[in-house]
Amino acid sequence: MQLMRIGDRGAERPAVRGDDGTVYDLSSVTGDIDGAFLAGDGLARARAALAEGGLPQLPGEDGRIGAPIARPGKVVCIGLNYRDHAAETGAAIPPEPIIFMKAPNTVVGPNDTVLVPRGSVKTDWEVELGVVIGKEARYLDSPEDALDVVAGYVISNDVSEREFQLERGGQWDKGKSCETFNPLGPWLVPADEVDDPGKLGLRLWVNGEKRQDGTTADLIFGIGYVVWYLSQFMVLEPGDLVNTGTPAGVAMGMPGQPYLRAGDVVELEIDGLGRQRQVFADA
């Protein structure tokens, strides 16, 4: 099954998608897909309701698809977590994970319009595997233990403004937290339904031309290690989102640096997690 939120922004309805593609209303099980739902054994309850067969069917995915989780408490990101991406940006391989934060209100639906900030000349794309936390994570004992707190996985586009991020002083957050800068979804796939999150293909196209084609097998710091590491410095809570890094192929590392402009179309996918499509527009 896959969990979804469908409807106008701010009025999304929780839904569950069966493996045959049929979408069902999950409102009888939960008011929303959020931290409380995940912490309260929500995945098991949704799975049971789907198996019982009594959920009303929704029209499908023709309307707006929202982010598959309600606004997370925090969005934590890992920088330079693929060797090829570090190389294309001219950065050294980090000895420890590079952590930065992204404002939670950047999270939007997978097909929502993404706004190029006013004054931006270096808006960039980043396909990433997103990890959604399902249990509190505080001083976890090991990377193996860390996988037990993962609720599921999502596609995340860590849209970035490189001038704001790298040339305007301060921390990376400035170039990461512009409005609409984190399209998420279309689905949250439960962790126990992803055979090996360390072997997923990630791909991204700009205006039909493939720009990124990587695999999570090339992560410098794997998913379990990242979640364990973060828990040594902060408490992760149910509903939090961790963006785990992007492979090579971003505009910043390409000849001519073809940054995004209004009218550009970005499409991205990760094996088993669905597909996104965004049209960019001026803020």
Side-chain angles (χ1 to χ4, degrees), residues 127-129 154-155 200-203 268-274:
V127 59
E128 305 201 9
L129 177 64
V154 293
I155 305 174
L200 298 177
L202 309 88
R203 293 164 293 275
L268 50 156
E269 66 183 19
I270 297 179
D271 294 344
L273 303 185

Side-chain angles (χ1 to χ4, degrees), residues 20-35:
D20 65 352
T22 305
V23 179
Y24 300 92
D25 189 344
L26 204 57
S27 299
S28 61
V29 176
T30 182
D32 210 343
I33 299 171
D34 53 14

Side-chain angles (χ1 to χ4, degrees), residues 1-5 15-19 33 37-38 43-44 46-47 61 67-69 129-134 147 149-156 184-197 200 223 241 270-275:
M1 71 172 184
Q2 302 90 41
L3 295 178
M4 306 179 66
R5 297 169 67 248
V16 59
R17 181 179 183 271
D19 290 336
I33 299 171
F37 168 78
L38 296 172
L43 293 177
R47 186 173 284 129
E61 303 174 35
I69 55 171
L129 177 64
V131 176
V132 177
I133 303 300
L147 293 176
V149 308
V150 174
Y153 300 98
V154 293
I155 305 174
S156 187
L184 195 69
W187 316 318
L188 169 63
V189 179
D192 61 4
E193 297 192 21
V194 177
D195 291 337
D196 188 347
L200 298 177
I223 295 158
L241 173 66
I270 297 179
D271 294 344
L273 303 185
R275 189 177 176 95

